[in-house]
Amino acid sequence: MTEYGRGPGSEPWHPEDPLYGDQGWDGQQAAHGQSQYGGPQQAYPQDPYAQQQPQQMYPQPQQHQQYGSPQDPYAQDPYAQQHDPYAQGPYAQQQPHDPYAQQPQQHQQYNGGWDTGQQPAAMPPYDGHAQDAYGNQSGGYGASHDPYGTPEAYPPPQPPGRREAAPEQGAPRTPDWDPDEPEEETHPFFTGVDDDRDVRRPRDDDDEYDDDPRESRRGGDSERRGKGKKKSRNGCACLVVSLLLAGGLGGAAYFGYTYWQKQFGPAPDYSGQGSGSVEVEIPKLALGNEIGNILKEKGVVKSVDAFVAAQTKNPKGKSIQAGVYVLKEHMSAAEAVKMMLDPKSQNLLIIPEGTTNRNVYKMVDTKLGLKAGTTKDVAKKNVGDLGLPDWADDDPAVNDRLEGFLFPAAYPVTKEMKPEAVLKKMVSRANDEYGKVDLESSAKKLGLKSPWQLITVASLVQAEGKYKHDFDKVARVVYNRLKPNNTETYGLLDFDSTVNYAKAQSTLDTGAVSDLRKFKDPYNTYYVHGLPPGPINNPGEAALHSAIKPTPGPWYYFVSVTADKTVFAVTNEEHERNRKKYEQEKSGQ
């Protein structure tokens, strides 16, 4: 038999090779020159590969060595029997086919060349038992023998993909978990276990305690109570989660509804006419949203959008003017707009045209609830800090430097305001109105020395003219009397209004002319020639424009016959006739 696995030039196998030690389990070490089974060793001098024989893949049936070839390490089968008493039976020549066993073959004498045709060895006679390739007998006639069926045999060969590592002897392999049992929840949130020292027990059905009455004697009730406690904790956890989810959904719904209301719903608004009282000041050129913000801050309306919507809806809503309004708290936006359009709701300090400063001071004291004379003292003390222009005359003969600069208008005033603040507003308004016209150039054209004199003329027009449609002619009378070539009055204005201002009075009966000529006062135009030192009141816009653009005419005199009629005259004779006629008509009534 040829041995595979040893190439030319390699050493022949020796019985003491560590691969098999001393020839397996039952083998005996052969002496030198003697075969494994006691026969003489036969050499093959002509075969260069005599010492190199191939290794068989499967064990060969035991044969007696017929030739003196070297020992084959695979010829000895540890599982084959040395002596088979049944090998010579009558049925020895019949052997069942074993797919894992090779047919026995005989070694032929090597003749120095390659011989591929080998004859099978003669089968032993059949002895009534089947015999396998290893010489073992089968179970009986016609039965096949499984060479891997004994406990001592190796398992049959398996494909590489299905091979498993052999388990340790005496320790059967068992899985450490049951794949059919569901995994038990161990998180404390669901189990209800608060202490890490608690020992978890396997989950059992409640029926086990009912079926086995012995459990109650061994503490089954306590275990059931423990399980019930855990279940109740699990239920509480689920309840908490449900409440959190419900709260989250409720919060999202609330914020969504609020957003929808802000974007698409009606603006928040109060209802009704409100209650209480609150003063609100609206600045100049304030728009609807600005007014709404002020009202919201004061607590009048609930939202800016509600006020803007109400102002837009009201046909007169855009006519709301600057000023101080006395409103109520928590009013509906529509009621707030309606009340602001009513002049009675405005908390204003109204200065009529032609009002003297002494009367303005009294009005401010009354409006602010101050002691009489407080505003007059403040005006005299702080006159230089109230915003007068540079051309305002500081002549010591001027009775009040602020005269003519407390412009007649409606001023929003609250009780929290100071007199200085009110006076500054009036002076600022006068500067704005005077700045609309060119006072300096107009004064030069009219033969006046300064804008201060132009305002003084306007104050005289405001005081002497009772009606606006007469202001232009009254202004012409003033300028005609100021002419140096005036032969009617000789430069005297002779106005009763100046006497009243000088005496701080208001009357039509100022006295006889002879007596007025003797009244020595810088503001008495019966005594002094030309204009008084300064304005005698605060003229309005109409009087100012008439003083700038008087109607041309030769008039030196005028007399108011009726409330809507003023008679102008050129000469004194004509004037006297007109005056006498006026007195007769008045006495005849």
Side-chain angles (χ1 to χ4, degrees):
M1 180 181 297
T2 306
E3 181 181 2
Y4 294 93
R6 296 183 182 269
S10 60
E11 295 294 334
W13 182 86
H14 194 272
E16 295 182 0
D17 194 309
L19 180 61
Y20 285 101
D22 56 352
Q23 306 303 318
W25 291 273
D26 297 329
Q28 298 178 356
Q29 186 172 358
H32 181 69
Q34 191 176 2
S35 67
Q36 180 72 18
Y37 299 98
Q41 183 176 4
Q42 184 175 355
Y44 301 92
Q46 293 86 3
D47 189 1
Y49 301 97
Q51 295 180 358
Q52 299 179 3
Q53 296 180 2
Q55 183 177 358
Q56 292 288 10
M57 296 297 293
Y58 298 98
Q60 299 295 330
Q62 183 174 351
Q63 299 287 341
H64 291 285
Q65 192 78 14
Q66 295 180 0
Y67 309 101
S69 60
Q71 177 68 33
D72 186 1
Y74 295 96
Q76 182 76 16
D77 187 1
Y79 298 99
Q81 299 180 1
Q82 296 292 338
H83 304 282
D84 189 359
Y86 302 96
Q88 303 296 329
Y91 301 94
Q93 294 182 359
Q94 299 181 4
Q95 294 181 354
H97 177 69
D98 187 358
Y100 296 94
Q102 295 182 359
Q103 297 297 329
Q105 297 180 1
Q106 294 181 351
H107 294 281
Q108 292 183 357
Q109 184 175 2
Y110 182 67
N111 56 4
W114 294 96
D115 187 5
T116 59
Q118 296 181 0
Q119 298 296 329
M123 299 299 292
Y126 179 69
D127 59 355
H129 297 279
Q131 188 175 15
D132 58 6
Y134 297 96
N136 297 326
Q137 293 179 352
S138 61
Y141 178 78
S144 61
H145 177 68
D146 185 3
Y148 302 98
T150 60
E152 294 80 4
Y154 286 104
Q158 298 291 335
R162 298 177 59 184
R163 295 176 183 174
E164 298 182 357
E168 297 180 1
Q169 294 182 0
R173 294 184 58 188
T174 57
D176 56 353
W177 57 278
D178 190 357
D180 296 333
E181 182 180 356
E183 183 178 358
E184 183 178 2
E185 182 59 56
T186 60
H187 196 280
F189 181 80
F190 296 98
T191 60
V193 177
D194 298 332
D195 194 351
D196 294 339
R197 295 173 296 178
D198 292 346
V199 179
R200 295 187 52 84
R201 298 182 179 180
R203 181 179 298 175
D204 297 328
D205 295 335
D206 294 340
D207 294 340
E208 291 180 345
Y209 299 101
D210 298 336
D211 294 341
D212 190 358
R214 294 176 296 177
E215 293 293 338
S216 61
R217 295 194 298 270
R218 291 184 298 176
D221 293 339
S222 62
E223 294 186 3
R224 282 198 295 271
R225 286 194 297 270
K227 290 181 176 291
K229 185 177 180 180
K230 294 181 180 179
K231 291 182 178 179
S232 64
R233 291 183 178 178
N234 293 341
C236 292
C238 294
L239 178 60
V240 171
V241 173
S242 300
L243 291 177
L244 291 177
L245 292 176
L249 293 176
Y254 171 77
F255 286 111
Y257 176 77
T258 304
Y259 176 79
W260 184 89
Q261 285 289 336
K262 289 182 179 180
Q263 297 295 327
F264 309 103
D269 193 7
Y270 295 120
S271 60
Q273 298 180 355
S275 61
S277 178
V278 59
E279 290 183 349
V280 179
E281 182 178 359
I282 305 301
K284 296 180 180 179
L285 305 177
L287 301 177
N289 59 338
E290 296 174 338
I291 298 175
N293 279 321
I294 296 174
L295 296 181
K296 182 181 178 182
E297 291 178 357
K298 293 290 184 177
V300 177
V301 296
K302 193 171 185 179
S303 66
V304 178
D305 294 338
F307 177 81
V308 173
Q311 184 186 26
T312 304
K313 187 176 181 180
N314 193 310
K316 297 181 180 180
K318 300 297 182 180
S319 62
I320 296 177
Q321 301 295 325
V324 176
Y325 297 84
V326 180
L327 305 176
K328 298 180 180 181
E329 295 180 349
H330 296 178
M331 300 179 65
S332 67
E335 288 293 332
V337 173
K338 182 180 178 180
M339 194 170 186
M340 294 181 74
L341 293 174
D342 186 359
K344 296 180 180 180
S345 66
Q346 298 185 20
N347 189 18
L348 300 175
L349 174 61
I350 300 175
I351 306 300
E353 295 175 347
T355 305
T356 61
N357 279 9
R358 63 177 180 269
N359 290 330
V360 173
Y361 297 150
K362 294 179 181 179
M363 296 171 66
V364 174
D365 289 341
T366 302
K367 196 69 176 179
L368 298 182
L370 303 175
K371 182 181 178 180
T374 302
T375 304
K376 180 180 179 180
D377 294 340
V378 171
K380 185 177 181 179
K381 181 180 181 180
N382 301 319
V383 63
D385 300 329
L386 298 179
L388 290 174
D390 296 337
W391 46 262
D393 198 349
D394 56 353
D395 189 345
V398 176
N399 188 14
D400 189 350
R401 291 182 60 190
L402 288 178
E403 198 77 65
F405 285 93
L406 303 182
F407 196 83
Y411 295 96
V413 177
T414 62
K415 292 185 178 181
E416 291 78 14
M417 294 181 66
K418 301 296 182 181
E420 296 89 339
V422 178
L423 296 176
K424 283 183 178 181
K425 281 188 175 183
M426 295 178 180
V427 174
S428 177
R429 177 67 181 273
N431 291 330
D432 293 340
E433 296 296 332
Y434 295 157
K436 296 177 181 178
V437 294
D438 191 356
L439 294 180
E440 293 185 2
S441 60
S442 297
K444 290 179 180 181
K445 289 179 181 180
L446 295 171
L448 301 175
K449 296 179 180 180
S450 66
W452 178 261
Q453 288 188 342
L454 182 57
I455 294 176
T456 302
V457 172
S459 67
L460 295 174
V461 173
Q462 185 75 60
E464 293 295 329
K466 294 182 182 294
Y467 311 104
K468 292 182 179 181
H469 58 273
D470 294 333
F471 284 172
D472 294 346
K473 291 182 179 181
V474 173
R476 175 51 60 187
V477 171
V478 173
Y479 288 120
N480 287 341
R481 290 185 179 185
L482 291 176
K483 289 180 180 180
N485 58 355
N486 173 19
T487 59
E488 292 293 332
T489 61
Y490 299 98
L492 294 174
L493 295 179
D494 292 342
F495 287 158
D496 294 344
S497 58
T498 60
V499 176
N500 287 331
Y501 181 80
K503 294 182 178 182
Q505 65 182 18
S506 178
T507 180
L508 294 177
D509 188 7
T510 57
V513 174
S514 59
D515 295 336
L516 294 177
R517 302 284 185 197
K518 298 178 182 179
F519 178 58
K520 296 180 180 180
D521 189 278
Y523 282 87
N524 181 11
T525 56
Y526 283 94
Y527 176 77
V528 297
H529 292 76
L531 294 172
I536 61 173
N537 57 39
N538 294 285
E541 184 178 358
L544 180 62
H545 284 283
S546 296
I548 295 174
K549 294 181 179 181
T551 301
W555 311 290
Y556 286 93
Y557 305 94
F558 64 91
V559 59
S560 297
V561 178
T562 60
D564 58 350
K565 184 179 179 180
T566 301
V567 180
F568 292 88
V570 176
T571 62
N572 186 33
E573 291 78 7
E574 183 181 4
H575 171 64
E576 287 297 329
R577 288 193 302 267
N578 293 334
R579 186 173 61 85
K580 289 180 180 179
K581 183 179 179 179
Y582 166 71
E583 290 177 353
Q584 291 176 356
E585 292 178 353
K586 185 178 181 182
S587 61
Q589 295 177 354

